[in-house]
Every structure is written in structure tokens, then in C-alpha cells.
Amino acid sequence: MGWIGTILIGALCGWLASMVMKTDAQQGAVANILIGIVGAFLANLIFGSMLHIGSVDYAHQSLLMNVIWGVLGSVVLIAILKALRILR
């Protein structure tokens, strides 16, 4: 996936995760993109590499799986940021 696709999927994942975690009002578009991209990386690290739950390599075959993994990782990232009191 190219840079533009990564940014678009990251924005979607970050936005969906912010809606789930109720932090949408304090996040802008750039924060959604960054949280989505870092969240997808975090999901790959935690669930794919460390826990071996669902192959993240499988996610490369499906756009829906990319979004699901990205949202899941973004929710974890937002929870960490809330625990550190960076987000409310």
C-alpha cells in the first residue's frame, strides 16, 4: 500500500477509534492520522508478533482486515494515552 493509502486508512482507523473511545472532540485530522498509523503498527507488534493472535500478514490481503487491525491498535493506543493523561 502506498503512502496515500496508508494516510487514508490511518485517518479512518484513528477516527473510528476516537469515536469508540469518545475522544473525537479533542482530536483533529492530523491526530487521527497519526493515531491510526501508530495504532496499526502497535496492533502488528502486540497481536501479530508478541501474541500470535490472527496473522497480520493475512491483513495485507483484505482492506477490511487492515481497518479492523488499525482500529484495534488505535483503541489500545488511545487507552494508553488516556492512562498517561495526554488525552482526556
Side-chain angles (χ1 to χ4, degrees):
M1 188 178 299
W3 285 102
I4 294 173
T6 301
I7 290 170
L8 291 175
I9 297 296
L12 176 66
C13 293
W15 177 70
L16 289 172
S18 70
M19 298 295 277
V20 169
M21 297 296 287
K22 303 203 183 345
T23 59
D24 190 47
Q26 50 188 308
Q27 289 179 218
V30 174
N32 282 338
I33 292 170
L34 291 175
I35 286 176
I37 293 171
V38 173
F41 174 75
L42 189 64
N44 183 15
L45 180 70
I46 293 172
F47 300 110
S49 298
M50 295 173 76
L51 299 176
H52 305 290
I53 298 173
S55 175
V56 179
D57 292 327
Y58 170 72
H60 293 292
Q61 300 173 4
S62 168
L63 178 65
L64 179 63
M65 288 305 294
N66 280 327
V67 172
I68 290 171
W69 280 112
V71 170
L72 186 61
S74 297
V75 165
V76 170
L77 179 61
I78 290 173
I80 291 169
L81 293 175
K82 282 178 127 181
L84 295 174
R85 298 191 187 241
I86 295 172
L87 291 175
R88 289 177 269 178

Coordinates of all heavy atoms in Angstrom, one line a residue:
M1 N 0.9 -1.2 0.0 CA 0.0 0.0 0.0 C 0.9 1.2 0.0 O 1.9 1.3 0.7 CB -0.9 0.0 1.2 CG -1.9 1.1 1.2 SD -3.0 1.1 2.7 CE -3.8 -0.5 2.5
G2 N 0.6 2.2 -0.8 CA 1.4 3.4 -0.9 C 1.1 4.4 0.3 O 0.3 4.1 1.2
W3 N 1.9 5.5 0.2 CA 1.8 6.5 1.3 C 0.4 7.1 1.4 O -0.1 7.3 2.5 CB 2.8 7.6 1.1 CG 4.2 7.1 1.4 CD1 5.2 6.8 0.5 CD2 4.7 7.0 2.7 NE1 6.3 6.4 1.2 CE2 6.1 6.5 2.5 CE3 4.2 7.1 4.0 CZ2 6.9 6.3 3.6 CZ3 5.1 6.9 5.0 CH2 6.4 6.4 4.9
I4 N -0.2 7.3 0.3 CA -1.6 7.9 0.3 C -2.6 7.0 0.9 O -3.4 7.4 1.7 CB -2.0 8.4 -1.1 CG1 -1.1 9.5 -1.6 CG2 -3.4 8.8 -1.1 CD1 -1.3 9.9 -3.0
G5 N -2.5 5.7 0.5 CA -3.4 4.7 1.1 C -3.1 4.5 2.6 O -4.1 4.4 3.4
T6 N -1.9 4.6 3.0 CA -1.6 4.5 4.4 C -2.2 5.6 5.2 O -2.7 5.5 6.3 CB 0.0 4.4 4.6 OG1 0.5 3.3 3.9 CG2 0.3 4.4 6.1
I7 N -2.1 6.8 4.7 CA -2.6 8.0 5.3 C -4.1 7.9 5.4 O -4.7 8.2 6.4 CB -2.1 9.3 4.6 CG1 -0.6 9.5 4.9 CG2 -2.9 10.5 5.1 CD1 0.0 10.6 4.1
L8 N -4.8 7.5 4.3 CA -6.2 7.4 4.3 C -6.7 6.4 5.3 O -7.7 6.6 6.0 CB -6.7 7.2 2.9 CG -6.5 8.3 1.9 CD1 -7.0 7.9 0.5 CD2 -7.3 9.5 2.3
I9 N -6.1 5.2 5.2 CA -6.5 4.1 6.2 C -6.2 4.5 7.6 O -7.0 4.3 8.5 CB -5.8 2.8 5.8 CG1 -6.2 2.3 4.4 CG2 -6.1 1.7 6.8 CD1 -7.7 2.0 4.3
G10 N -5.1 5.2 7.8 CA -4.7 5.7 9.2 C -5.8 6.7 9.7 O -6.2 6.6 10.8
A11 N -6.2 7.6 8.8 CA -7.2 8.6 9.2 C -8.5 7.9 9.6 O -9.1 8.2 10.6 CB -7.4 9.6 8.1
L12 N -8.9 6.9 8.8 CA -10.1 6.2 9.0 C -10.1 5.4 10.3 O -11.0 5.5 11.2 CB -10.5 5.3 7.9 CG -11.7 4.4 8.1 CD1 -13.0 5.2 8.1 CD2 -11.8 3.3 7.0
C13 N -9.0 4.7 10.5 CA -8.8 4.0 11.8 C -8.7 4.9 13.0 O -9.3 4.6 14.0 CB -7.5 3.1 11.7 SG -7.6 1.8 10.5
G14 N -8.0 6.0 12.9 CA -7.9 6.9 14.0 C -9.2 7.5 14.3 O -9.6 7.7 15.5
W15 N -10.0 7.9 13.3 CA -11.3 8.5 13.5 C -12.3 7.5 14.2 O -13.0 7.8 15.1 CB -11.8 9.0 12.2 CG -13.2 9.6 12.3 CD1 -13.6 10.7 13.0 CD2 -14.4 9.0 11.8 NE1 -14.9 10.9 12.9 CE2 -15.5 9.9 12.2 CE3 -14.7 7.8 11.1 CZ2 -16.8 9.6 11.9 CZ3 -16.0 7.6 10.8 CH2 -17.0 8.5 11.2
L16 N -12.3 6.3 13.7 CA -13.2 5.2 14.2 C -12.8 4.9 15.7 O -13.7 4.8 16.5 CB -13.2 4.0 13.4 CG -13.8 4.0 12.0 CD1 -13.6 2.8 11.2 CD2 -15.3 4.3 12.2
A17 N -11.5 4.9 16.0 CA -11.1 4.6 17.3 C -11.4 5.8 18.2 O -11.8 5.5 19.4 CB -9.6 4.3 17.4
S18 N -11.3 7.0 17.7 CA -11.6 8.1 18.6 C -13.1 8.2 18.9 O -13.5 8.7 19.9 CB -11.2 9.4 17.9 OG -11.9 9.7 16.8
M19 N -13.9 7.7 17.9 CA -15.4 7.6 18.2 C -15.7 6.6 19.2 O -16.5 6.8 20.1 CB -16.1 7.3 16.9 CG -16.0 8.4 15.8 SD -16.7 9.9 16.3 CE -18.4 9.6 15.9
V20 N -15.0 5.4 19.2 CA -15.2 4.4 20.2 C -14.8 4.8 21.6 O -15.4 4.6 22.5 CB -14.4 3.1 19.7 CG1 -14.4 2.1 20.8 CG2 -15.0 2.5 18.5
M21 N -13.6 5.5 21.6 CA -13.1 5.9 22.9 C -13.5 7.3 23.4 O -13.1 7.8 24.4 CB -11.5 5.9 22.8 CG -10.9 4.5 22.6 SD -11.2 3.4 23.9 CE -10.1 4.0 25.1
K22 N -14.4 7.9 22.6 CA -15.0 9.2 22.9 C -14.0 10.3 23.1 O -14.1 11.1 24.0 CB -15.9 9.1 24.1 CG -17.0 8.0 23.9 CD -18.2 8.2 24.8 CE -19.3 7.2 24.7 NZ -19.3 6.3 23.7
T23 N -13.0 10.3 22.2 CA -12.0 11.4 22.2 C -12.0 12.2 21.0 O -11.1 13.0 20.7 CB -10.6 10.8 22.4 OG1 -10.3 10.0 21.3 CG2 -10.4 10.1 23.8
D24 N -13.1 12.1 20.2 CA -13.2 12.7 18.9 C -13.2 14.2 19.0 O -12.6 14.9 18.1 CB -14.4 12.2 18.1 CG -14.4 12.7 16.7 OD1 -13.4 12.5 16.0 OD2 -15.5 13.2 16.2
A25 N -13.8 14.8 20.0 CA -13.9 16.2 20.1 C -12.5 16.9 20.3 O -12.3 18.0 19.9 CB -14.8 16.6 21.3
Q26 N -11.6 16.2 20.9 CA -10.3 16.8 21.2 C -9.2 16.4 20.2 O -8.1 16.9 20.3 CB -9.8 16.4 22.6 CG -9.9 15.0 22.9 CD -9.6 14.7 24.4 OE1 -8.6 15.2 24.9 NE2 -10.5 14.0 25.0
Q27 N -9.5 15.6 19.2 CA -8.6 15.2 18.2 C -8.9 15.8 16.8 O -10.1 15.9 16.4 CB -8.6 13.7 18.0 CG -8.0 12.9 19.1 CD -8.1 11.4 18.9 OE1 -8.3 10.7 19.8 NE2 -7.9 11.0 17.7
G28 N -7.9 16.3 16.1 CA -8.1 16.8 14.8 C -7.7 15.7 13.8 O -7.5 14.6 14.1
A29 N -7.7 16.1 12.5 CA -7.4 15.2 11.4 C -6.0 14.7 11.5 O -5.8 13.5 11.3 CB -7.6 15.9 10.1
V30 N -5.0 15.5 11.8 CA -3.6 15.1 11.9 C -3.5 14.1 13.1 O -2.8 13.0 12.9 CB -2.7 16.3 12.1 CG1 -1.3 15.8 12.4 CG2 -2.8 17.2 10.9
A31 N -4.1 14.3 14.2 CA -4.0 13.4 15.3 C -4.7 12.1 15.0 O -4.2 11.0 15.3 CB -4.7 14.0 16.6
N32 N -5.8 12.1 14.2 CA -6.5 10.8 13.8 C -5.5 10.1 12.9 O -5.4 8.8 13.0 CB -7.8 11.1 13.1 CG -8.9 11.5 14.0 OD1 -8.9 11.1 15.2 ND2 -9.9 12.1 13.5
I33 N -4.9 10.7 12.0 CA -4.0 10.0 11.0 C -2.8 9.4 11.8 O -2.5 8.2 11.6 CB -3.4 11.0 10.0 CG1 -4.6 11.4 9.0 CG2 -2.3 10.4 9.2 CD1 -4.2 12.5 8.1
L34 N -2.2 10.2 12.7 CA -1.0 9.7 13.5 C -1.4 8.5 14.4 O -0.7 7.5 14.5 CB -0.4 10.8 14.3 CG 0.3 11.9 13.4 CD1 0.8 13.0 14.3 CD2 1.5 11.3 12.7
I35 N -2.6 8.7 15.1 CA -3.0 7.6 16.0 C -3.4 6.4 15.2 O -3.1 5.3 15.6 CB -4.2 8.1 16.8 CG1 -3.7 9.0 17.9 CG2 -5.0 6.9 17.5 CD1 -4.7 9.7 18.8
G36 N -4.0 6.5 14.0 CA -4.3 5.4 13.1 C -3.1 4.7 12.6 O -3.0 3.4 12.7
I37 N -2.1 5.4 12.2 CA -0.9 4.7 11.7 C -0.1 4.1 12.8 O 0.3 2.9 12.7 CB 0.0 5.8 10.9 CG1 -0.7 6.2 9.6 CG2 1.4 5.2 10.6 CD1 -0.1 7.4 8.9
V38 N 0.1 4.8 13.9 CA 0.8 4.2 15.0 C 0.0 3.1 15.7 O 0.6 2.1 16.1 CB 1.2 5.3 16.1 CG1 1.8 4.7 17.3 CG2 2.1 6.4 15.5
G39 N -1.3 3.2 15.7 CA -2.1 2.2 16.2 C -2.0 0.9 15.4 O -2.0 -0.2 16.0
A40 N -2.0 1.0 14.1 CA -1.8 -0.2 13.2 C -0.5 -0.8 13.5 O -0.4 -2.1 13.5 CB -2.0 0.2 11.8
F41 N 0.6 0.0 13.6 CA 1.9 -0.6 14.0 C 1.8 -1.3 15.3 O 2.4 -2.4 15.5 CB 2.9 0.5 14.0 CG 4.3 0.1 14.4 CD1 5.1 -0.7 13.6 CD2 4.7 0.4 15.7 CE1 6.3 -1.1 14.0 CE2 6.0 0.0 16.1 CZ 6.8 -0.8 15.3
L42 N 1.2 -0.7 16.3 CA 1.0 -1.2 17.6 C 0.3 -2.6 17.6 O 0.7 -3.5 18.3 CB 0.4 -0.2 18.6 CG 0.3 -0.5 20.0 CD1 1.7 -0.6 20.6 CD2 -0.5 0.5 20.8
A43 N -0.8 -2.6 16.8 CA -1.5 -3.9 16.7 C -0.7 -5.0 16.1 O -0.7 -6.1 16.5 CB -2.8 -3.6 15.8
N44 N 0.1 -4.6 15.1 CA 1.0 -5.6 14.5 C 2.0 -6.1 15.5 O 2.3 -7.3 15.6 CB 1.7 -4.9 13.3 CG 2.6 -5.9 12.6 OD1 2.6 -7.1 12.8 ND2 3.5 -5.4 11.7
L45 N 2.6 -5.2 16.3 CA 3.6 -5.5 17.3 C 2.9 -6.4 18.4 O 3.5 -7.5 18.7 CB 4.2 -4.3 17.9 CG 5.2 -4.5 19.0 CD1 6.5 -5.1 18.4 CD2 5.5 -3.2 19.7
I46 N 1.8 -6.0 19.0 CA 1.3 -6.7 20.1 C 0.6 -8.0 19.7 O 0.9 -9.0 20.2 CB 0.2 -5.8 20.9 CG1 1.0 -4.6 21.5 CG2 -0.5 -6.6 21.9 CD1 0.0 -3.6 22.1
F47 N -0.4 -7.8 18.8 CA -1.2 -9.0 18.4 C -0.5 -9.9 17.4 O -0.7 -11.2 17.5 CB -2.6 -8.6 17.9 CG -3.3 -7.7 18.9 CD1 -3.5 -6.4 18.7 CD2 -3.8 -8.3 20.1 CE1 -4.2 -5.6 19.6 CE2 -4.5 -7.5 21.0 CZ -4.7 -6.2 20.8
G48 N 0.2 -9.4 16.5 CA 0.8 -10.3 15.5 C 2.1 -10.9 16.0 O 2.3 -12.1 15.9
S49 N 3.1 -10.0 16.4 CA 4.4 -10.5 16.7 C 4.5 -11.1 18.1 O 5.1 -12.2 18.3 CB 5.4 -9.3 16.7 OG 5.4 -8.9 15.3
M50 N 3.9 -10.5 19.1 CA 4.0 -11.0 20.5 C 3.0 -12.1 20.9 O 3.4 -13.1 21.5 CB 3.9 -9.8 21.5 CG 5.0 -8.8 21.3 SD 4.8 -7.3 22.3 CE 5.2 -8.0 23.9
L51 N 1.8 -11.9 20.6 CA 0.7 -12.8 21.0 C 0.4 -13.8 19.9 O -0.3 -14.8 20.2 CB -0.5 -12.1 21.4 CG -0.3 -11.1 22.6 CD1 -1.6 -10.4 22.9 CD2 0.1 -11.9 23.8
H52 N 0.8 -13.6 18.7 CA 0.5 -14.5 17.6 C -1.0 -14.8 17.4 O -1.5 -15.9 17.2 CB 1.2 -15.8 17.7 CG 2.7 -15.7 17.8 ND1 3.5 -15.2 16.8 CD2 3.5 -15.8 18.8 CE1 4.7 -15.1 17.1 NE2 4.8 -15.5 18.4
I53 N -1.8 -13.7 17.6 CA -3.3 -13.8 17.5 C -3.6 -13.2 16.1 O -3.5 -12.1 15.9 CB -4.0 -13.0 18.6 CG1 -3.7 -13.5 20.0 CG2 -5.5 -13.0 18.3 CD1 -4.2 -12.6 21.1
G54 N -4.1 -14.1 15.3 CA -4.5 -13.6 14.0 C -3.3 -13.1 13.2 O -2.7 -12.1 13.7
S55 N -3.0 -13.6 12.2 CA -1.8 -13.1 11.4 C -2.1 -11.8 10.8 O -3.0 -11.6 10.1 CB -1.5 -14.1 10.3 OG -0.4 -13.7 9.6
V56 N -1.2 -10.8 11.1 CA -1.3 -9.5 10.5 C -0.9 -9.6 9.0 O -1.3 -8.8 8.2 CB -0.5 -8.5 11.3 CG1 -0.5 -7.1 10.6 CG2 -0.9 -8.4 12.7
D57 N -0.2 -10.7 8.7 CA 0.2 -10.9 7.3 C -1.1 -11.2 6.5 O -1.2 -10.8 5.3 CB 1.1 -12.1 7.1 CG 2.5 -11.7 7.7 OD1 2.9 -10.6 7.6 OD2 3.1 -12.7 8.2
Y58 N -2.1 -11.8 7.1 CA -3.4 -12.0 6.4 C -4.1 -10.7 6.2 O -4.8 -10.6 5.2 CB -4.3 -12.9 7.3 CG -5.7 -13.0 6.9 CD1 -6.0 -13.7 5.7 CD2 -6.7 -12.3 7.5 CE1 -7.3 -13.8 5.3 CE2 -8.0 -12.4 7.1 CZ -8.3 -13.2 6.0 OH -9.6 -13.2 5.5
A59 N -3.8 -9.7 7.0 CA -4.5 -8.4 6.8 C -4.0 -7.7 5.5 O -4.8 -6.9 5.0 CB -4.2 -7.5 8.0
H60 N -2.9 -8.1 5.0 CA -2.4 -7.5 3.7 C -3.3 -7.9 2.6 O -3.3 -7.3 1.5 CB -1.0 -7.9 3.5 CG 0.0 -7.3 4.4 ND1 0.2 -5.9 4.5 CD2 0.7 -7.8 5.4 CE1 1.1 -5.7 5.4 NE2 1.4 -6.8 6.0
Q61 N -4.1 -9.0 2.7 CA -5.0 -9.4 1.7 C -6.3 -8.8 1.6 O -7.0 -8.8 0.7 CB -5.2 -11.0 1.8 CG -3.9 -11.7 1.8 CD -4.1 -13.2 2.1 OE1 -5.2 -13.6 2.3 NE2 -3.0 -13.9 2.1
S62 N -6.7 -8.1 2.7 CA -8.0 -7.6 2.8 C -8.0 -6.2 3.4 O -7.4 -5.9 4.5 CB -8.9 -8.5 3.7 OG -10.1 -7.9 4.1
L63 N -8.7 -5.2 2.7 CA -8.8 -3.9 3.2 C -9.6 -3.8 4.6 O -9.2 -3.1 5.5 CB -9.5 -3.0 2.2 CG -9.8 -1.5 2.6 CD1 -8.4 -0.8 2.8 CD2 -10.6 -0.8 1.6
L64 N -10.6 -4.7 4.7 CA -11.4 -4.7 5.9 C -10.6 -5.2 7.1 O -10.6 -4.6 8.2 CB -12.6 -5.7 5.7 CG -13.5 -5.8 7.0 CD1 -14.1 -4.5 7.3 CD2 -14.6 -6.9 6.7
M65 N -9.7 -6.2 6.9 CA -8.8 -6.6 8.0 C -7.8 -5.5 8.3 O -7.5 -5.4 9.5 CB -8.1 -7.9 7.6 CG -9.0 -9.1 7.5 SD -9.9 -9.4 9.1 CE -8.6 -9.8 10.2
N66 N -7.3 -4.8 7.4 CA -6.4 -3.7 7.7 C -7.1 -2.7 8.6 O -6.5 -2.2 9.5 CB -6.0 -2.9 6.4 CG -4.9 -3.7 5.7 OD1 -4.0 -4.3 6.3 ND2 -4.9 -3.6 4.4
V67 N -8.4 -2.3 8.3 CA -9.1 -1.4 9.1 C -9.4 -1.9 10.5 O -9.2 -1.2 11.5 CB -10.4 -1.0 8.4 CG1 -11.3 -0.1 9.3 CG2 -10.1 -0.2 7.1
I68 N -9.8 -3.2 10.6 CA -10.0 -3.8 11.9 C -8.8 -3.8 12.7 O -8.8 -3.4 13.9 CB -10.6 -5.2 11.7 CG1 -12.0 -5.2 11.1 CG2 -10.6 -6.0 13.0 CD1 -12.6 -6.5 10.7
W69 N -7.6 -4.2 12.2 CA -6.4 -4.2 13.0 C -6.0 -2.8 13.3 O -5.5 -2.5 14.4 CB -5.3 -4.9 12.2 CG -5.3 -6.4 12.3 CD1 -5.6 -7.2 11.2 CD2 -5.1 -7.2 13.4 NE1 -5.6 -8.5 11.7 CE2 -5.3 -8.6 13.0 CE3 -4.9 -7.0 14.8 CZ2 -5.2 -9.6 13.9 CZ3 -4.8 -8.0 15.6 CH2 -4.9 -9.3 15.2
G70 N -6.2 -1.9 12.4 CA -5.8 -0.5 12.7 C -6.7 0.1 13.8 O -6.1 0.8 14.6
V71 N -8.0 -0.1 13.7 CA -8.9 0.4 14.8 C -8.5 -0.2 16.1 O -8.5 0.5 17.1 CB -10.3 0.2 14.4 CG1 -11.3 0.5 15.5 CG2 -10.7 1.0 13.2
L72 N -8.3 -1.5 16.1 CA -8.0 -2.2 17.4 C -6.7 -1.7 18.0 O -6.7 -1.4 19.2 CB -7.9 -3.7 17.1 CG -7.7 -4.6 18.4 CD1 -8.9 -4.5 19.3 CD2 -7.5 -6.0 18.0
G73 N -5.7 -1.5 17.2 CA -4.4 -0.9 17.7 C -4.6 0.5 18.1 O -4.0 1.0 19.1
S74 N -5.4 1.3 17.4 CA -5.7 2.7 17.7 C -6.4 2.8 19.0 O -6.2 3.7 19.8 CB -6.4 3.4 16.6 OG -5.7 3.4 15.4
V75 N -7.4 1.9 19.3 CA -8.1 1.9 20.6 C -7.1 1.6 21.7 O -7.2 2.3 22.8 CB -9.2 0.9 20.5 CG1 -9.8 0.6 21.9 CG2 -10.3 1.4 19.6
V76 N -6.2 0.7 21.5 CA -5.2 0.4 22.6 C -4.3 1.7 22.8 O -4.0 2.0 23.9 CB -4.3 -0.8 22.2 CG1 -3.1 -1.0 23.1 CG2 -5.2 -2.1 22.2
L77 N -3.9 2.3 21.7 CA -3.1 3.5 21.8 C -3.8 4.6 22.5 O -3.2 5.3 23.4 CB -2.6 4.0 20.4 CG -1.7 5.2 20.4 CD1 -0.4 5.0 21.2 CD2 -1.4 5.6 18.9
I78 N -5.0 4.9 22.2 CA -5.8 5.9 22.9 C -6.0 5.6 24.3 O -5.9 6.5 25.2 CB -7.2 6.1 22.2 CG1 -7.0 6.8 20.8 CG2 -8.1 7.0 23.0 CD1 -8.2 6.9 20.0
A79 N -6.2 4.3 24.7 CA -6.3 3.9 26.1 C -5.0 4.2 26.8 O -5.0 4.7 28.0 CB -6.6 2.4 26.2
I80 N -3.9 3.9 26.2 CA -2.6 4.3 26.8 C -2.4 5.8 26.9 O -2.0 6.2 28.0 CB -1.4 3.7 25.9 CG1 -1.4 2.2 26.0 CG2 -0.1 4.2 26.4 CD1 -0.5 1.5 25.0
L81 N -2.8 6.5 25.9 CA -2.7 8.0 26.0 C -3.6 8.6 27.1 O -3.3 9.5 27.8 CB -3.0 8.6 24.7 CG -2.0 8.4 23.6 CD1 -2.4 8.9 22.2 CD2 -0.6 8.9 23.9
K82 N -4.8 7.9 27.3 CA -5.7 8.4 28.3 C -5.1 8.0 29.7 O -5.2 8.8 30.7 CB -7.1 7.7 28.2 CG -7.9 8.4 27.1 CD -9.2 7.6 27.0 CE -10.4 8.6 27.2 NZ -11.7 7.9 27.1
A83 N -4.5 6.9 29.8 CA -3.9 6.5 31.1 C -2.7 7.4 31.5 O -2.5 7.7 32.6 CB -3.4 5.0 31.0
L84 N -2.0 7.9 30.5 CA -0.9 8.8 30.7 C -1.4 10.3 30.8 O -0.6 11.2 31.0 CB 0.1 8.7 29.6 CG 0.9 7.4 29.5 CD1 1.7 7.4 28.2 CD2 1.7 7.2 30.7
R85 N -2.7 10.5 30.7 CA -3.4 11.7 30.8 C -3.0 12.7 29.7 O -3.0 13.9 29.9 CB -3.2 12.4 32.2 CG -3.8 11.5 33.3 CD -3.9 12.2 34.6 NE -4.3 11.2 35.5 CZ -5.4 11.3 36.2 NH1 -6.2 12.3 36.1 NH2 -5.7 10.4 37.1
I86 N -2.6 12.2 28.6 CA -2.3 13.0 27.4 C -3.6 13.4 26.7 O -3.8 14.5 26.3 CB -1.3 12.3 26.4 CG1 0.0 12.1 27.2 CG2 -1.2 13.1 25.1 CD1 1.0 11.3 26.4
L87 N -4.5 12.4 26.7 CA -5.9 12.6 26.2 C -6.9 12.5 27.4 O -6.6 11.7 28.3 CB -6.3 11.6 25.2 CG -5.6 11.7 23.8 CD1 -6.0 10.6 22.9 CD2 -5.9 13.0 23.1
R88 N -8.0 13.2 27.3 CA -9.0 13.1 28.4 C -10.1 12.2 28.0 O -10.5 12.0 27.0 CB -9.6 14.4 28.7 CG -8.6 15.3 29.4 CD -9.1 16.6 29.6 NE -8.7 17.4 28.4 CZ -9.1 18.6 28.2 NH1 -9.8 19.3 29.0 NH2 -8.7 19.2 27.1

